[in-house]
């Protein structure tokens, strides 16, 4: 198999620059080295922040409608590079390329374009007082924004931050996860070609602790941090920011989503949605419906048919082969972590299918593949039902009544998303209203509208982004009160 070799750099102040320190980029499907990556330390972070601070002086003063065509050109560049971006995302993540289809790349471009339009089309509020005074409310950019993203859906998640950050007039520094650096570097090339001015958008590559991530989040000139990743990393960032820059934060963190299937649901559809919700992107999705709860009347039939469906329909292997339905986990370390849970699962319940690696030809026999895995006969309090496994692993539990399903669904530390599958609208509303989750999907999963608030309750996040909720976060509000004489 021919794989390209990437020499991945930072993008600071409009220039692609290297570092004295570099690390290797591995392809998750083979664990072969497919690139070198510059590692940002304090010096690179200082340069990027200073470039962003300087660029803010002009970008922040431009009107949203002046920024709009530049950002639209950025979005158009993403669309033009769709085929290359799809391959890059597979090299970065390990995901099957058929999932990086044109719809996925369109969503990446839309993240930029939607906010470019939103910011330009949004007006301001005014509040006339009885005394004749007039208040108006300005929304002004905040300043230098640090955007930190995880490795599971890197381009979608980074543009979800880059779009609103830049559209509302901030300048930004993106720090992608260390195992998925290529996409961020490619996005920087596209932004550069689209004419995004130097310093407005920067990328600093590197790790978290004692590296680019930690230096960025504690830099005194940073005014805003939007972070997606693990809950424990969010806690570390909150501490760093509290002790240094007091930057405002928005956190999208871990999840352990329930997928509740009532016996009045369309079972064919429920099987398809459950497969998608748990196994898209090898289950490495914060929104994954990784805890399937099935009403007792259809439990046995569901479990049997779900296991057969996964066994018959999953094609694991070369992620660049369009026939492959499931790719590799992102790193050997992560695969080992996921498999570590299965040893525990074996003790606490029944490993119905999976738990092992597929038998693949070289070079994929060295990759981080794991067969789709179902665990049954577990109690809701056990580790595999409580902790985010972040792999192709589901637990399936029976329940009898609505209240019991809600109680099990809510009895975890997370509250990001949930799926409710039922043919009864009243039940859909009753149950959805009681679940601790930032998003509930009824009879589907991962349907996104950029206008709605996105984020999590409990340990799944702080704040919401999307539409005007993003505007709240990415702008400073200023009230101007004018006397009537
Ligand atoms: P992670 O928290 O390990 O890393 C995320 C990013 O933070 C990386 O860029 C990393 O380098 C950086 N980082 C790590 N330590 C840091 C520190 N001390 N200071 C600053 N930056 C630091 O997460 P991950 O393993 O890359 O991603 C998986 C996690 O992300 C899962 O928990 C998943 O649920 C979560 N996630 C959440 C959402 C959501 O929208 N809620 C979406 C996708 C992923």
């Amino acid at each position: 198999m021919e794989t390209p070799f990437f020499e991945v750099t930072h993008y600071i102040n409009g220039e692609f620059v290297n570092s004295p320190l570099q690390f290797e980029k591995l392809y998750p499907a083979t664990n072969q080295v497919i690139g070198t990556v510059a590692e940002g330390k304090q010096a690179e972070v200082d340069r990027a922040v200073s470039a962003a601070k300087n660029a803010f002086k002009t970008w922040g003063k431009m009107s949203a409608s002046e920024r709009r065509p530049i950002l639209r050109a950025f979005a158009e560049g993403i669309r033009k590079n769709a085929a290359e971006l799809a391959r890059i995302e597979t090299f970065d993540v390990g995901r099957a390329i058929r999932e990086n289809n044109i719809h996925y790349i369109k969503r990446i471009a839309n993240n930029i374009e939607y906010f470019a339009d939103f910011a330009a089309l949004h007006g301001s509020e005014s509040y006339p007082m009885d005394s004749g005074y007039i208040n108006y409310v300005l929304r002004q950019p905040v300043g230098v924004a640090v955007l930190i993203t995880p490795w599971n859906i890197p381009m979608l998640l980074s543009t979800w931050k880059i779009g609103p950050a830049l559209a509302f007039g901030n300048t930004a520094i993106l720090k992608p996860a260390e195992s998925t650096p290529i996409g961020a570097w490619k996005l920087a090339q596209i932004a550069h070609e689209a004419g995004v001015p130097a310093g407005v958008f920067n990328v600093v590559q590197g790790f978290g602790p004692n590296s680019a991530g930690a230096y960025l989040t504690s830099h005194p000139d940073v005014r805003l941090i939007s972070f997606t990743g693990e809950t424990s990393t969010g806690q570390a960032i909150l501490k760093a920011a509290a002790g240094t820059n007091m930057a405002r934060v928005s956190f999208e963190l871990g999840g352990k989503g329930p997928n509740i299937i009532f016996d009045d649901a369309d079972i064919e559809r429920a099987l398809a949605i459950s497969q998608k919700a748990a196994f898209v992107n090898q289950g490495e999705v914060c929104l994954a419906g990784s805890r399937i709860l099935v009403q007792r009347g259809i439990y046995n039939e569901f479990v049997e048919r779900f296991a057969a469906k996964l066994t018959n329909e999953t094609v694991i292997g070369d992620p660049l082969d369009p026939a492959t339905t499931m790719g590799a986990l992102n790193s050997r370390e992560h695969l080992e972590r996921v498999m570590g849970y299965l040893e525990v699962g074996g003790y606490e319940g029944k490993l119905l299918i999976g738990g092992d690696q597929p038998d693949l030809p070289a070079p994929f026999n060295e990759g981080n593949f794991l067969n789709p895995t179902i665990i049954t006969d577990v109690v809701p309090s056990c580790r595999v039902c409580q902790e985010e496994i972040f792999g192709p692993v589901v637990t399936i539990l029976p329940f009898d009544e609505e209240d019991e399903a809600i109680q099990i669904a809510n009895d975890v530390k997370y509250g990001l998303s949930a799926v409710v599958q039922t043919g009864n609208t009243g039940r859909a509303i009753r149950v959805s209203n009681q679940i601790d989750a930032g998003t509930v999907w009824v009879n589907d999963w991962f349907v996104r509208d950029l206008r709605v608030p996105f984020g999590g309750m409990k340990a799944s996040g702080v704040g919401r982004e999307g539409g005007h909720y993003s505007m709240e976060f990415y702008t400073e509000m200023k009230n101007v009160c004018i006397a009537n004489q």
Side-chain angles (χ1 to χ4, degrees):
M1 184 200 51
E2 185 110 344
T3 38
F5 194 84
F6 300 93
E7 288 177 26
V8 181
T9 65
H10 312 291
Y11 177 61
I12 299 174
N13 206 20
E15 288 176 11
F16 292 89
V17 289
N18 220 322
S19 278
L21 279 176
Q22 285 163 17
F23 59 96
E24 289 179 334
K25 159 66 190 155
L26 305 183
Y27 181 30
T30 61
N31 280 311
Q32 287 164 350
V33 178
I34 57 163
T36 54
V37 188
E39 186 190 348
K41 292 284 196 183
Q42 188 74 57
E44 288 84 349
V45 163
D46 286 347
R47 279 172 45 214
V49 174
S50 142
K53 199 175 165 191
N54 197 39
F56 181 68
K57 290 178 199 152
T58 39
W59 184 255
K61 288 205 175 69
M62 283 164 73
S63 69
S65 47
E66 287 171 314
R67 293 189 288 260
R68 185 188 197 184
I70 302 172
L71 296 175
R72 277 183 149 251
F74 184 7
E76 203 42 46
I78 292 173
R79 289 195 192 98
K80 279 198 195 119
N81 285 278
E84 191 186 352
L85 289 172
R87 278 174 70 80
I88 284 178
E89 181 94 341
T90 287
F91 285 125
D92 260 344
V93 178
R95 179 194 312 139
I97 195 148
R98 68 189 274 155
E99 289 185 11
N100 303 344
N101 55 23
I102 204 70
H103 176 65
Y104 176 76
I105 304 293
K106 265 192 197 154
R107 283 177 72 168
I108 292 169
N110 282 350
N111 278 344
I112 306 284
E113 195 169 76
Y114 168 83
F115 287 105
D117 291 347
F118 185 104
L121 298 174
H122 191 84
S124 125
E125 303 137 45
S126 86
Y127 300 92
M129 294 169 74
D130 289 347
S131 55
Y133 282 68
I134 291 187
N135 291 286
Y136 62 89
V137 181
L138 286 176
R139 291 187 183 270
Q140 299 180 319
V142 184
V144 176
V146 163
L147 317 174
I148 300 190
T149 46
W151 46 256
N152 61 328
I153 323 179
M155 279 196 250
L156 192 73
L157 294 171
S158 54
T159 49
W160 167 244
K161 299 179 190 303
I162 298 165
L166 301 192
F168 294 115
N170 306 285
T171 53
I173 302 154
L174 171 67
K175 208 296 283 169
E178 48 274 24
S179 61
T180 54
I182 314 171
W185 172 67
K186 181 69 197 172
L187 285 176
Q189 290 171 22
I190 296 173
H192 188 82
E193 280 159 23
V196 174
V200 168
F201 173 56
N202 307 271
V203 176
V204 176
Q205 309 281 358
F207 298 81
N210 303 314
S211 187
Y215 299 131
L216 280 167
T217 49
S218 56
H219 196 290
D221 290 335
V222 167
R223 304 265 32 95
L224 176 159
I225 301 169
S226 176
F227 166 74
T228 301
E230 279 186 21
T231 301
S232 57
T233 311
Q235 287 169 325
I237 291 176
L238 206 51
K239 269 190 207 150
T244 52
N245 48 36
M246 287 279 282
R248 63 174 64 186
V249 298
S250 170
F251 287 167
E252 292 175 358
L253 309 173
K256 187 74 180 171
N259 168 9
I260 308 173
I261 304 167
F262 288 95
D263 57 14
D264 56 14
D266 172 343
I267 193 153
E268 209 64 55
R269 188 182 162 110
L271 286 162
I273 291 168
S274 304
Q275 180 182 24
K276 183 168 74 159
F279 296 99
V280 157
N281 204 39
Q282 310 78 240
E284 294 167 322
V285 182
C286 53
L287 305 163
S290 54
R291 290 185 293 146
I292 303 180
L293 309 177
V294 187
Q295 203 160 18
R296 185 100 43 199
I298 56 165
Y299 179 78
N300 288 337
E301 180 190 353
F302 181 90
V303 170
E304 198 179 305
R305 288 181 63 184
F306 195 54
K309 189 174 173 66
L310 294 180
T311 308
N312 297 335
E313 294 178 8
T314 310
V315 182
I316 303 193
D318 179 359
L320 291 172
D321 181 341
T324 298
T325 64
M326 201 164 88
L329 300 198
N330 189 244
S331 66
R332 173 64 45 172
E333 188 191 1
H334 182 58
L335 172 72
E336 282 166 9
R337 190 180 154 267
V338 171
M339 291 186 81
Y341 273 104
L342 303 179
E343 285 161 27
V344 176
Y347 287 113
E348 291 180 353
K350 180 171 157 197
L351 200 58
L352 191 65
I353 60 164
D356 55 345
Q357 289 201 268
D359 197 8
L360 294 173
F364 304 106
N365 55 341
E366 297 293 330
N368 314 317
F369 295 92
L370 179 64
N371 282 318
T373 302
I374 299 178
I375 299 171
T376 57
D377 298 297
V378 271
V379 288
S381 58
C382 69
R383 269 185 80 208
V384 288
C385 292
Q386 290 288 322
E387 295 178 18
E388 185 182 43
I389 298 177
F390 220 58
V393 179
V394 283
T395 55
I396 313 184
L397 272 71
F399 68 90
D400 290 299
E401 302 298 334
E402 250 175 60
D403 285 351
E404 185 191 356
I406 294 164
Q407 192 266 326
I408 298 172
N410 288 344
D411 191 20
V412 291
K413 70 174 182 176
Y414 296 108
L416 187 60
S417 65
V419 175
V420 177
Q421 308 205 55
T422 172
N424 177 329
T425 310
R427 169 176 271 167
I429 295 171
R430 256 191 330 270
V431 176
S432 302
N433 288 355
Q434 293 180 75
I435 290 184
D436 299 342
T439 302
V440 181
W441 283 289
V442 176
N443 297 330
D444 217 322
W445 177 76
F446 210 164
V447 178
R448 292 280 294 120
D449 178 329
L450 299 186
R451 294 169 299 182
V452 304
F454 181 81
M457 298 180 178
K458 304 194 303 199
S460 289
V462 176
R464 296 291 185 276
E465 295 190 34
H468 72 84
Y469 309 95
S470 292
M471 183 169 69
E472 300 289 324
F473 177 64
Y474 287 100
T475 58
E476 286 284 8
M477 267 190 284
K478 183 186 288 175
N479 168 216
V480 180
C481 180
I482 305 180
N484 58 352
Q485 54 182 0

